[in-house]
Amino acid sequence: MYQVEMVSKQTKPHDGYDEGQKPAPRRSERIRRPAVKVDQDGDSSSPLSSVPSSPEPENKTPAKRGRANKDEKATQSKPAAKKAKTVTATVIDDRQPGEIRYWLMKAEPESRIEKGQDVKFSIDDLERLRTSTWEGVRNHEAKKNMQRMRLGDMAFLYHSNCKEPGIAGVMKICKEGYPDFTAWDKSHPYFDAKSREESPVWHMVDVEFERRMERFVSLKELREYGDKELKGLALLRRSQLSVSPVSKKEWEFIMELAEKAVDVDEA
C-alpha cells in the first residue's frame, strides 16, 4: 500500500510520463523564464536563448583584438623588410670625388668549350674589339667588386687558367655595373636559372682596351714580392677571385716592375 500511494502521488499530477522521467515545466514557467532573458539580453526568441551565453560585445572583442594584433605585427614587420632590402642592395663605396681605383680581372686566353661555345678571351681579343662586356662572373664577392667600379677606373687584364698565368695588359672601365643578361640566356655557357630579367642576381661592366704591358708579368714573378711590396695583393691572398682590388701602391709597383724589366733587357 505504501508503494502504491507513493507512485500515485508522483504520477497523478503528471499523467502521460514514465516513472523517473523529468516532468515538463509548467506553461507558466516556460513563458516567464525566457521572457526575462529575451528582454534583458536582446536575444532572439529561439529556445536556445534560455542557455546562458556571453554577451555579444564580449564575443566581438577578442576578434577585434586579434585583428589589431595582426595589424600591429604587419606594421612592425614592414619597416624591417624595407631595411633589409636596402642593406642587401647597397654596395659601400667610400671613395673620394674624382678618385680612381684599380682592379685585377681574370680571363682565360686558351680555348675551353662550354655548351658548344669557346669561352676564351685574351688581351689580343680586347685589342681587336677595343671594348667588350665583362660577363660570366658567378661569384658574389667578385660581383660586388664590379658593382664598386666607376667610370675611369683602371684594371689589369690577367691571363688565368693557362700554361703561364700573369698580367697581360691594362683596360679602363667604360660602363658601370648593370645586370648580366647572359645569366638568363639558356644557351649561354654561364646560364643561371636563379637569375631572371625581373630580378637579376649577377652584374657586369664594360671595359675598354688601354695598352699592353711593356712586358708580360707572370704570376711566378709576382709571388717573388709576396712578402714585400705585394704582400697585401689580393691576387696572392685570394687566388680564387676572378675580380679583385689592387691598391694604388701595388698598381704603381707592378707597372714599374714591367718597365724596369724592359730597360734591363735592352741594356
Side-chain angles (χ1 to χ4, degrees):
M1 284 296 292
Y2 177 77
Q3 293 179 353
V4 173
E5 291 178 357
M6 290 295 293
V7 170
S8 61
K9 289 181 180 179
Q10 293 175 0
T11 58
K12 187 175 180 180
H14 308 287
D15 293 337
Y17 292 93
D18 296 333
E19 182 179 357
Q21 183 176 353
K22 185 177 179 180
R26 295 179 181 178
R27 182 175 178 81
S28 59
E29 294 176 347
R30 288 203 306 269
I31 296 173
R32 183 168 53 253
R33 285 182 299 189
V36 175
K37 290 187 176 290
V38 170
D39 293 340
Q40 290 180 351
D41 298 341
D43 219 341
S44 66
S45 58
S46 170
L48 295 177
S49 61
S50 60
V51 180
S53 59
S54 300
E56 186 176 352
E58 294 182 4
N59 289 337
K60 292 182 179 179
T61 302
K64 290 181 179 179
R65 229 175 251 150
R67 287 195 296 271
N69 290 339
K70 289 181 181 179
D71 293 340
E72 289 177 4
K73 290 180 180 179
T75 303
Q76 293 174 358
S77 63
K78 285 181 181 178
K82 289 182 179 179
K83 185 177 181 180
K85 287 182 180 180
T86 303
V87 172
T88 303
T90 300
V91 175
I92 299 175
D93 186 1
D94 56 352
R95 71 173 69 197
Q96 299 298 320
E99 178 185 354
I100 299 297
R101 291 196 175 178
Y102 305 91
W103 310 90
L104 183 144
M105 305 172 75
K106 296 181 180 180
E108 298 182 26
E110 298 178 359
S111 292
R112 183 169 66 85
I113 305 301
E114 290 284 344
K115 291 186 177 181
Q117 300 183 39
D118 195 343
V119 297
K120 81 176 187 68
F121 190 82
S122 67
I123 189 65
D124 297 332
D125 297 312
L126 182 60
E127 185 176 16
R128 174 174 53 85
L129 296 170
R130 306 308 296 180
T131 61
S132 174
T133 57
W134 201 270
E135 78 279 2
V137 174
R138 300 296 180 262
N139 175 279
H140 288 286
E141 186 173 352
K143 176 195 70 174
K144 289 180 180 179
N145 285 334
M146 288 200 298
Q147 288 178 308
R148 293 186 178 97
M149 293 178 179
R150 297 293 178 263
L151 292 176
D153 281 3
M154 306 299 293
F156 286 130
L157 195 161
Y158 180 91
H159 285 176
S160 178
N161 196 23
C162 56
K163 293 179 180 179
E164 188 178 10
I167 299 174
V170 177
M171 51 192 182
K172 181 186 293 185
I173 307 304
C174 60
K175 184 175 181 179
E176 297 180 3
Y178 60 100
D180 185 346
F181 51 80
T182 65
W184 57 78
D185 181 0
K186 293 183 179 180
S187 64
H188 196 274
Y190 301 116
F191 166 73
D192 184 359
K194 295 181 181 179
S195 184
R196 300 180 180 179
E197 187 172 0
E198 61 273 14
S199 57
V201 176
W202 306 109
H203 289 72
M204 60 183 178
V205 297
D206 289 358
V207 297
E208 179 182 357
F209 175 82
E210 277 290 310
R211 55 174 286 194
R212 290 174 176 268
M213 297 294 287
E214 295 291 339
R215 177 181 62 86
F216 182 85
V217 182
S218 68
L219 174 62
K220 181 180 179 181
E221 186 174 358
L222 293 172
R223 284 174 173 166
E224 294 177 3
Y225 301 92
D227 58 349
K228 301 175 185 177
E229 290 86 354
L230 300 179
K231 62 181 178 181
L233 185 65
L235 171 67
L236 304 179
R237 296 185 293 106
R238 304 287 305 281
S239 59
Q240 76 278 13
L241 280 179
S242 62
V243 180
S244 58
V246 177
S247 70
K248 185 177 181 180
K249 288 184 178 181
E250 293 165 347
W251 179 275
E252 292 174 348
F253 176 80
I254 293 173
M255 295 296 288
E256 291 174 2
L257 181 64
E259 292 172 0
K260 287 180 180 179
V262 171
D263 293 340
V264 171
D265 292 342
E266 292 178 351

